[in-house]
């Protein structure tokens, strides 16, 4: 069980991992905390955005839309490997997911199938949206994949978590397919390399 780190510690952790960080507006106080608590936190969820273009993607993830107000994550990782911080606190990214998956993340064990949506993931996870069309054909540049692994590792390092605390949205919420184009086992291996 872990309390979320402060916004200042979050940005410091990302930079200490060698990432280029872009601060977008008043990101430290842009959140959905009025809709419920944030924390205790237990892991990191990786997403793809189904969008392209840095400016459009960052704005979408910061503001959201009429159906799903922003922020839609904490950081947006664009094709060039930069991490754009758009919010901090509760964010509309994980949605309802499987309590058995959460238990496995907490225990840092192999994930069971996500076949229920009975637990509030926005409360328990950090979220990174990663710029990609999500069609399985849009390429993932090496610099972006490395930034994704480094960002997840930065959060894990602060909390003392292993790479098993990093999951894809498709492993949390039934019906989700993101991120598409690589496996989360492959991504967890990259995170583990950074944590060595």
């Amino acid at each position: 069980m872990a309390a979320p780190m402060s916004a200042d510690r979050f940005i410091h952790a990302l930079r200490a991992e060698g990432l280029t960080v872009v601060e977008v507006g008043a990101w430290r106080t842009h959140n959905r905390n009025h809709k419920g608590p944030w924390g205790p936190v237990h892991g990191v969820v990786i997403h793809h955005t189904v969008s392209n273009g840095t400016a459009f993607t960052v704005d979408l993830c910061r503001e959201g839309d009429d159906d799903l107000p922003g922020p839609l994550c904490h950081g947006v990782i664009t094709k060039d490997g930069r991490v754009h911080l758009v919010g901090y606190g509760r964010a509309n990214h994980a949605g309802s997911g499987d309590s058995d998956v959460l238990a496995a993340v907490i225990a840092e064990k192999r994930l069971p199938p996500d076949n229920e949506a009975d637990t509030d993931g926005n409360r328990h996870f950090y979220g990174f949206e990663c710029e990609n069309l999500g069609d399985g054909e849009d390429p993932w540049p090496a610099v972006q994949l490395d930034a994704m692994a480094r960002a997840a590792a930065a959060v894990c390092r602060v909390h003392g978590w292993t790479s098993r605390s990093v999951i894809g949205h498709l492993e949390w919420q039934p019906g989700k397919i993101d991120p598409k184009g690589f496996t989360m086992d492959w991504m967890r291996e990259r995170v583990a390399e950074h944590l060595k």
Side-chain angles (χ1 to χ4, degrees):
M1 188 146 123
M5 67 183 104
S6 70
D8 286 341
R9 188 158 189 207
F10 181 59
I11 192 171
H12 175 76
L14 294 171
R15 287 178 170 152
E17 208 67 39
L19 292 160
T20 299
V21 179
V22 179
E23 299 182 69
V24 182
W27 68 272
R28 286 174 172 83
T29 56
H30 184 52
N31 56 55
R32 304 286 297 162
N33 289 0
H34 64 285
K35 290 294 185 181
W38 189 42
V41 289
H42 300 295
V44 178
V45 178
I46 304 293
H47 306 262
H48 65 226
T49 60
V50 193
S51 66
N52 65 9
T54 296
F56 173 79
T57 298
V58 170
D59 185 64
L60 173 67
C61 291
R62 176 175 167 71
E63 302 301 331
D65 59 29
D66 291 341
D67 294 327
L68 194 65
L72 304 183
C73 60
H74 302 104
V76 183
I77 303 174
T78 48
K79 295 273 191 183
D80 59 7
R82 292 184 296 165
V83 181
H84 303 256
L85 300 183
V86 297
Y88 205 67
R90 185 182 177 90
N92 274 335
H93 75 99
S96 295
D98 195 305
S99 58
D100 294 331
V101 171
L102 180 61
V105 169
I106 293 169
E108 297 195 314
K109 294 185 175 176
R110 181 169 290 282
L111 300 176
D114 57 329
N115 53 22
E116 295 180 312
D118 59 359
T119 300
D120 176 12
N122 296 334
R123 176 179 184 173
H124 295 299
F125 291 100
Y126 296 89
F128 290 102
E129 285 279 358
C130 306
E131 180 189 354
N132 192 275
L133 292 174
D135 58 5
E137 297 179 14
D138 189 18
W140 290 96
V143 67
Q144 184 183 27
L145 290 168
D146 183 60
M148 292 159 63
R150 286 177 185 273
V155 174
C156 290
R157 194 179 307 283
V158 168
H159 288 293
W161 298 333
T162 72
S163 60
R164 287 218 178 258
S165 292
V166 181
I167 65 173
H169 200 192
L170 77 170
E171 295 173 307
W172 169 248
Q173 190 174 48
K176 294 296 181 180
I177 63 166
D178 57 315
K180 191 170 186 177
F182 57 87
T183 69
M184 282 307 301
D185 283 339
W186 180 88
M187 179 56 69
R188 281 186 282 270
E189 289 175 8
R190 308 287 79 75
V191 173
E193 284 295 318
H194 287 293
L195 289 173
K196 282 184 179 175

